[in-house]
Amino acid sequence: MEMIQSFSVDHTKIVPGIFTSRVDKVDGGVVTTYDIRLKKPNREPVIDVAAMHSLEHLIATFLRNDPQWKDEVIYWGPMGCLTGFYLILKGSRSSREIYDLILNAFRAVEKADEVPGAAPVNCGHYLMHDLEMAKWYASEFAEYLSANADDPKIFEYPRAERLVTDDGKHFYDS
């Protein structure tokens, strides 16, 4: 079975940042999946589940209301490992080209007074939100992005190097 692209990223070396995960052709167009990584995998604590849920609501709402980007947004949602989010946009832009969008989205969370859609009629688990922690994570990530804007490591995935056999099979150390 072929390894999916996200597993070819060296998770022991990735730092928080904005990464192009994959570019796919669909229906005569192109969509790009971005990895918006807030935490170093396996090296720092993951994002609290309630705060992650609040960040999902807040940033999805921001993205789908941004006048420049709202028609380009296909999806915003959390990673299962709770270290970041996936953003899927129409078109193909570099990670650097969406830097301002992501920074502005996280800065908007810092100013939020409530979590949109956090009611029983709108949300599958409306009691599992933590606005204050979401604001804390948003501030931490926005400050990190600002401080590291010129560092190429926050835009370029570290790829896992794997030996490949003559017949195309991947070799993994045990």
Side-chain angles (χ1 to χ4, degrees):
M1 192 177 294
E2 192 173 316
M3 186 186 329
I4 63 172
Q5 279 185 290
S6 62
F7 295 158
S8 69
V9 175
D10 190 337
H11 284 73
T12 67
K13 295 178 183 167
I14 195 169
V15 297
I18 304 166
F19 308 98
T20 299
S21 178
R22 58 184 294 144
V23 179
D24 296 293
K25 293 181 182 179
V26 293
D27 298 329
V30 173
V31 297
T32 304
T33 303
Y34 299 93
D35 172 335
I36 312 302
R37 189 72 62 148
L38 280 67
K39 297 292 180 182
K40 293 177 187 174
N42 306 307
R43 294 189 307 277
E44 46 180 337
V46 299
I47 302 165
D48 172 77
V49 175
M52 189 82 157
H53 190 202
S54 296
L55 286 167
E56 176 191 13
H57 279 235
L58 288 156
I59 294 176
T61 301
F62 175 87
L63 294 171
R64 291 188 175 104
N65 283 280
D66 183 279
Q68 179 184 347
W69 293 93
K70 67 182 182 180
D71 295 331
E72 306 301 313
V73 176
I74 295 172
Y75 174 79
W76 169 265
M79 294 178 177
C81 62
L82 303 176
T83 61
F85 293 86
Y86 288 114
L87 171 63
I88 303 175
L89 296 175
K90 294 176 187 173
S92 178
R93 295 168 194 85
S94 71
S95 296
R96 289 180 191 272
E97 289 177 278
I98 67 163
Y99 171 86
D100 287 335
L101 173 67
I102 299 304
L103 181 60
N104 291 338
F106 280 86
R107 289 284 185 219
V109 170
E110 294 177 293
K111 301 172 193 165
D113 295 324
E114 64 181 2
V115 177
V121 69
N122 307 114
C123 179
H125 197 349
Y126 78 100
L127 294 175
M128 188 183 68
H129 284 282
D130 188 336
L131 177 59
E132 292 309 310
M133 281 305 299
K135 291 168 93 166
W136 185 87
Y137 285 112
S139 178
E140 178 187 53
F141 189 58
E143 288 174 24
Y144 173 85
L145 287 179
S146 294
N148 291 280
D150 295 327
D151 186 347
K153 284 192 299 189
I154 74 163
F155 299 107
E156 298 168 13
Y157 263 153
R159 294 287 175 191
E161 294 184 31
R162 309 223 189 268
L163 296 174
V164 180
T165 63
D166 291 338
D167 60 353
K169 292 185 178 139
H170 292 270
F171 176 79
Y172 299 92
D173 288 338
S174 55

